[in-house]
Amino acid sequence: MVTLAEVAQHAGVSASTVSYVLSGKRSISATTRQRVEESIRKLGYHPNAGARALASSRSNIIALMVPLRTDMYVPVMMEIAVAVASAARAYGYDILLLTGEEGPDAVRRVTGSGLADAMILMDVELDDERLPLLRGTHQPSVLIGLPADTEGLTCVDLDFRATGALCVEHLAELGHRDIAVIGEAPAVYERHTGFAERTLDGLRTRARELDLRLLHRPCEAGYDAVAATLARVFDERPDTTGFVVQNESALEPLLALLRRWGRAVPEDVSVVAVCPEQVATQASVRLTSVALPAQEMGRRAVEHLVAKLDGRGSDEVVLLAPELTVRASSGPAPARP
Amino acid sequence: MVTLAEVAQHAGVSASTVSYVLSGKRSISATTRQRVEESIRKLGYHPNAGARALASSRSNIIALMVPLRTDMYVPVMMEIAVAVASAARAYGYDILLLTGEEGPDAVRRVTGSGLADAMILMDVELDDERLPLLRGTHQPSVLIGLPADTEGLTCVDLDFRATGALCVEHLAELGHRDIAVIGEAPAVYERHTGFAERTLDGLRTRARELDLRLLHRPCEAGYDAVAATLARVFDERPDTTGFVVQNESALEPLLALLRRWGRAVPEDVSVVAVCPEQVATQASVRLTSVALPAQEMGRRAVEHLVAKLDGRGSDEVVLLAPELTVRASSGPAPARP
DNA sequence: AGCAGCCATTGAAGCGCTTCGACGATTGCT
DNA sequence: AGCAATCGTCGAAGCGCTTCAATGGCTGCT
């Protein structure tokens, strides 16, 4: 294993000079720099991460806590995680992957041990038990998601309240009066996940303002669960003509079931989805949807974190404005009988 | 920040004693141990990861290289990643998340810097460019996937060749003579991904042995792509009654399209999928399938890696035996006209 | 010519931990 | 009772790096 000292010797300079060449924290003459860089290349030198972390108390690692749950739509999480990893690398950081399993202990462990310089938390609940810990430490962190109290926190998230409102407005403009919301699995609401509750709030508020009737039904994944939910919806509100779906795994079953019920999309019923663009465009009907900007959220989270680590940036709540794209799954409400 | 020395002082012992209490590498009297543990708890001490890594040249981190690609079915990857993370934690290791982006450089960087003690590589190609590097280093590694040449490597994977054979056998037993394979996206084959090619090989070999006609069509994700593929299949081989699908995102569209073509499942055509159990049971038809044991693969990979890190274990290729579960999507071939 | 100021470079201290050899105190043996 | 082996604890060295104060050689000014 090649060390700094060996590089220094090979280049005929002192160890500190090599260090300064590497970090650029002091000016180095062009000739020396070149000689050092040459030696580094020749010897195949890589700075030792542990030693560097010890001496500088900087690990250049960002911890990312992803949920372990199986009741969430995983691809979105994965997409965010990958975006975070890519963005972090661009700033010279690596990603430490923590699963939700350990819960708050993971936060303690990571901040306590200096394993990571900062944290990104996903799958935030409204009253998340990890938040007090984050507030109590000086380690920078960013949440992807929005808890109830954002005091002293930096959050990045899609504006799900506005998303809900936007979906309702779209359907209202098309003349729909009875709207059903096919939501995430019940467990997601039971643990008060921020995004789910906020969307619901946006939906309900706007529906009330526009004097629409709104039915919300959580829905497990799987064809049968969707079938049961849909049957219940048409049973309780036969006049339902508008659907808002915030549950990617329910989308394709729903479209299939609507066909089976003899309801044409978009002539008889309209469907608006909250899902990644890819899902919306690859479904059996090209879906009118509000995009879930996974990449952007991941990127923004990293940018804010890096800003904090560099002493720039402050606590801030970044809500990305939702954008609704009209595709083939929504149209004017059918004339009332 | 609390240090070892402070704990030692608080407990009235030397620093090395505290270290030995933590590592258990020397015997410590019960009373001393208790006193030290008490101090650790009281002061909220967490060992500094960097210092530990420097002194012991062990980071207790395993690097996991996941593909960045979008043409693969992500949930499986995610499931493996999460299983790896959980299993690793159980052995006291954390996971460093590397995206495929950096390619071989990431391997160099991680092994060179001592950032991680070992690596797990996913999405292995038959002739992967990262392999020479792994063979050239003394750092333990495990592949999830199977390259062409496994000399000097440890691999964990589902036996995809046997998987292919199993699917063909099942359909053959039911009397199907014309079988179509709906495969992964063309790009997956173009870069010679191990699992895709091996499955195909298993399918073809067994089909030849059993004297069946086999048609293989790669297929992009998305309803339209599946529609085009299916149309082509029925055009080229109108007598096709058996489908093997190794492309999770094509499953639901395929089932919907078969209905549209007026082919009942399983009365007119049988479908065998290679996919996670969850997908098979939640589809609109409960699918006969060979399970993709993501959890088990992740777990096994970690176990082998830990064994290597402990000086136990050796290079080995672990091929998990495929298991075919018969569900509602396969049945006897219809009588020939 | 003489001095201030700057630039490039260095030596040394120290980051917090592990680990090795050493040492006194027990213990078990003859 | 006397000696060897064992046990529990300690001090010190050192892991590979960063960083600070210090140094010497310049340049440019008066």
Side-chain angles (χ1 to χ4, degrees):
Chain A
M1 193 201 177
V2 191
T3 70
L4 227 216
E6 297 177 69
V7 174
Q9 191 173 11
H10 186 270
V13 297
S14 77
S16 38
T17 301
V18 178
S19 177
Y20 287 123
V21 168
L22 250 36
S23 69
K25 291 192 179 172
R26 288 215 179 165
S27 51
I28 298 284
S29 71
T31 59
T32 308
R33 183 198 315 291
Q34 275 163 25
R35 207 140 36 83
V36 170
E37 281 167 352
E38 174 80 15
S39 298
I40 289 178
R41 208 156 356 93
K42 240 177 206 154
L43 301 180
Y45 169 71
H46 283 271
N48 179 286
R52 188 169 254 193
L54 177 57
S56 64
S57 32
R58 283 288 220 121
S59 65
N60 285 297
I61 289 180
I62 292 173
L64 174 69
M65 221 166 148
V66 305
L68 180 80
R69 333 222 179 243
T70 51
D71 57 7
M72 301 273 295
Y73 188 64
V74 225
V76 179
M77 297 294 164
M78 184 70 171
E79 208 179 331
I80 295 178
V82 169
V84 163
S86 300
R89 276 308 303 148
Y91 289 103
Y93 287 90
D94 273 296
I95 292 298
L96 195 78
L97 183 69
L98 303 175
T99 65
E101 232 176 352
E102 275 181 287
D105 284 348
V107 177
R108 260 186 286 269
R109 192 166 61 84
V110 168
T111 58
S113 67
L115 235 185
D117 298 332
M119 298 195 81
I120 296 177
L121 270 65
M122 295 174 61
D123 192 31
V124 181
E125 298 173 19
L126 282 182
D127 185 22
D128 204 294
E129 52 177 347
R130 297 166 297 186
L131 302 186
L133 285 171
L134 291 183
R135 292 200 179 90
T137 179
H138 272 173
Q139 196 170 55
S141 59
V142 170
L143 310 187
I144 296 184
L146 205 57
D149 176 13
T150 61
E151 179 65 33
L153 300 173
T154 296
C155 310
V156 173
D157 206 358
L158 178 64
D159 188 340
F160 279 102
R161 214 185 296 268
T163 299
L166 198 54
C167 293
V168 167
E169 281 163 25
H170 176 66
L171 291 172
E173 278 169 17
L174 292 170
H176 298 273
R177 313 299 304 162
D178 275 276
I179 296 176
V181 181
I182 308 297
E184 300 281 357
V188 175
Y189 297 94
E190 276 155 25
R191 61 171 200 271
H192 302 292
T193 305
F195 82 95
E197 301 235 333
R198 281 170 199 275
T199 309
L200 195 52
D201 186 39
L203 288 162
R204 285 191 175 137
T205 305
R206 204 78 188 96
R208 205 176 310 118
E209 289 168 4
L210 296 174
D211 203 26
L212 307 184
R213 308 217 302 163
L214 192 86
L215 202 67
H216 170 247
R217 293 288 171 264
C219 184
E220 299 280 0
Y223 190 83
D224 297 343
V226 179
T229 304
L230 185 62
R232 203 172 139 208
V233 166
F234 279 140
D235 200 29
E236 293 170 322
R237 295 274 170 86
D239 292 339
T240 299
T241 58
F243 284 86
V244 176
V245 185
Q246 181 174 220
N247 181 337
E248 286 83 349
S249 45
L251 277 172
E252 205 56 57
L254 179 70
L255 294 172
L257 284 158
L258 286 173
R259 277 176 227 126
R260 193 158 299 182
W261 279 78
R263 315 273 173 130
V265 174
E267 288 75 7
D268 300 329
V269 301
S270 289
V271 176
V272 179
V274 180
C275 67
E277 292 289 74
Q278 211 198 357
V279 173
T281 56
Q282 291 188 352
S284 56
V285 178
R286 289 173 48 82
L287 295 165
T288 294
S289 73
V290 174
L292 229 46
Q295 305 253 18
E296 168 136 22
M297 282 162 54
R299 221 198 54 233
R300 295 281 281 259
V302 170
E303 280 168 6
H304 275 263
L305 208 48
V306 171
K308 279 188 170 188
L309 284 166
D310 292 352
R312 302 172 288 120
S314 57
D315 293 340
E316 195 180 340
V317 174
V318 179
L319 288 185
L320 305 178
E323 285 180 30
L324 187 143
T325 306
V326 180
R327 298 200 182 81
S329 69
S330 65
R336 298 250 167 175
Chain B
M1 193 199 176
V2 191
T3 69
L4 226 216
E6 296 177 70
V7 173
Q9 190 174 12
H10 184 271
V13 296
S14 77
S16 40
T17 301
V18 178
S19 176
Y20 287 124
V21 167
L22 251 37
S23 68
K25 293 193 178 171
R26 285 207 182 169
S27 50
I28 297 284
S29 71
T31 59
T32 307
R33 183 201 314 291
Q34 275 163 26
R35 206 141 36 83
V36 170
E37 279 167 356
E38 174 79 15
S39 298
I40 288 177
R41 208 158 351 94
K42 239 177 206 153
L43 300 181
Y45 169 70
H46 284 271
N48 180 286
R52 189 167 252 195
L54 177 57
S56 65
S57 30
R58 281 285 222 126
S59 64
N60 285 297
I61 289 180
I62 292 173
L64 174 70
M65 222 166 148
V66 304
L68 178 80
R69 333 218 179 245
T70 51
D71 57 7
M72 302 274 294
Y73 188 64
V74 223
V76 179
M77 297 294 163
M78 184 70 171
E79 208 180 331
I80 296 178
V82 169
V84 163
S86 300
R89 276 308 303 148
Y91 290 102
Y93 287 90
D94 273 296
I95 292 297
L96 195 79
L97 183 70
L98 302 175
T99 64
E101 234 176 352
E102 275 180 287
D105 285 347
V107 177
R108 261 186 284 270
R109 192 166 60 85
V110 168
T111 58
S113 67
L115 234 185
D117 297 333
M119 300 195 81
I120 295 178
L121 270 66
M122 296 173 61
D123 193 33
V124 181
E125 299 174 18
L126 281 184
D127 185 23
D128 204 293
E129 50 177 348
R130 298 166 296 187
L131 301 186
L133 287 171
L134 292 183
R135 291 202 180 89
T137 178
H138 272 176
Q139 196 170 55
S141 59
V142 170
L143 310 188
I144 296 184
L146 204 57
D149 176 12
T150 61
E151 180 64 33
L153 299 173
T154 295
C155 311
V156 174
D157 206 359
L158 177 64
D159 188 339
F160 279 101
R161 213 185 298 268
T163 300
L166 198 54
C167 293
V168 167
E169 281 162 26
H170 176 67
L171 290 173
E173 279 168 17
L174 292 170
H176 298 273
R177 313 302 302 163
D178 275 276
I179 296 177
V181 180
I182 310 296
E184 301 281 357
V188 175
Y189 297 94
E190 276 156 25
R191 59 171 201 271
H192 301 293
T193 304
F195 83 95
E197 302 235 333
R198 280 169 200 276
T199 309
L200 196 51
D201 186 40
L203 288 162
R204 284 191 175 139
T205 305
R206 204 81 187 93
R208 206 175 310 119
E209 288 167 5
L210 297 173
D211 204 26
L212 307 183
R213 307 217 303 162
L214 192 86
L215 203 67
H216 170 248
R217 291 288 171 264
C219 184
E220 297 280 1
Y223 190 84
D224 296 343
V226 179
T229 304
L230 185 62
R232 204 173 137 205
V233 166
F234 280 139
D235 200 29
E236 293 169 321
R237 295 273 170 86
D239 293 337
T240 299
T241 58
F243 283 88
V244 176
V245 185
Q246 181 173 220
N247 181 337
E248 285 83 350
S249 45
L251 277 171
E252 205 56 58
L254 179 71
L255 294 172
L257 284 158
L258 286 173
R259 278 177 226 124
R260 193 159 298 182
W261 279 77
R263 316 274 172 127
V265 173
E267 288 75 7
D268 300 329
V269 300
S270 289
V271 176
V272 179
V274 180
C275 67
E277 290 291 74
Q278 211 198 358
V279 172
T281 57
Q282 290 188 354
S284 55
V285 177
R286 289 172 49 81
L287 295 165
T288 294
S289 73
V290 174
L292 229 46
Q295 305 253 16
E296 167 134 22
M297 280 161 56
R299 221 198 55 233
R300 296 280 282 259
V302 170
E303 280 167 7
H304 275 263
L305 208 48
V306 170
K308 279 188 170 187
L309 284 166
D310 292 352
R312 301 174 288 121
S314 57
D315 292 339
E316 196 181 339
V317 173
V318 179
L319 288 186
L320 305 178
E323 286 181 27
L324 186 142
T325 306
V326 179
R327 298 200 183 83
S329 69
S330 64
R336 298 254 167 171

